Amino acid sequence: MKTLQAYAVINETSDTNALQKIAAGIQHLNITYENNIEDAVNAMSGQNFQLLIIDKALPDAEIKKLNRLMELLHPDAATTAFNLQDEDYMRFKLSGLMLKWEEAQSEGKVNFIDNPGL
């Protein structure tokens, strides 16, 4: 199966240990982490990824900016937002997204999307 390339934009004060631990236990998932919003915005135009993970601890204006950019630059990518302290939800959500990713890689045509309305 093809590896799901994820891009995580994290508040610089947030702890990513739980997310990294969960991601390490999931096959075919590669997450690139960024905590500078301007670097993230610049990278979004040049990187190829299928999932954007947004830290809910980011300011609302930055979350809206990232969502707008995703709609313009990566309309086929999934977007999700996590409270990085909620390990159970992150594990549940990433497991579900990986199932969708696996279905999208099958011979039948299944789009890989998530609820874009955070």
Side-chain angles (χ1 to χ4, degrees), residues 24-70:
I26 299 175
Q27 291 184 348
H28 307 293
L29 174 64
N30 180 43
I31 301 177
T32 300
Y33 297 87
E34 179 61 63
N35 64 9
N36 180 299
I37 189 69
E38 293 310 319
D39 289 345
V41 168
N42 291 334
M44 286 177 78
S45 62
Q47 280 194 327
N48 183 21
F49 57 92
Q50 296 84 30
L51 173 62
L52 175 66
I53 299 170
I54 299 174
D55 180 0
K56 285 186 175 183
L58 289 170
D60 287 341
E62 291 180 0
I63 292 173
K64 288 178 185 177
K65 183 177 188 178
L66 291 169
N67 278 317
R68 280 193 298 270
L69 282 171
M70 283 299 292

Side-chain angles (χ1 to χ4, degrees), residues 99-110:
L99 287 173
K100 288 181 183 180
W101 178 248
E102 186 176 336
E103 288 175 8
Q105 302 308 304
S106 67
E107 291 189 29
K109 175 68 173 145
V110 177

Side-chain angles (χ1 to χ4, degrees), residues 85-101:
Q85 304 304 311
D86 191 346
E87 191 171 334
D88 290 335
Y89 179 75
M90 287 189 295
R91 183 174 276 99
F92 167 78
K93 189 65 172 183
L94 284 174
S95 295
L97 286 168
M98 289 308 295
L99 287 173
K100 288 181 183 180
W101 178 248

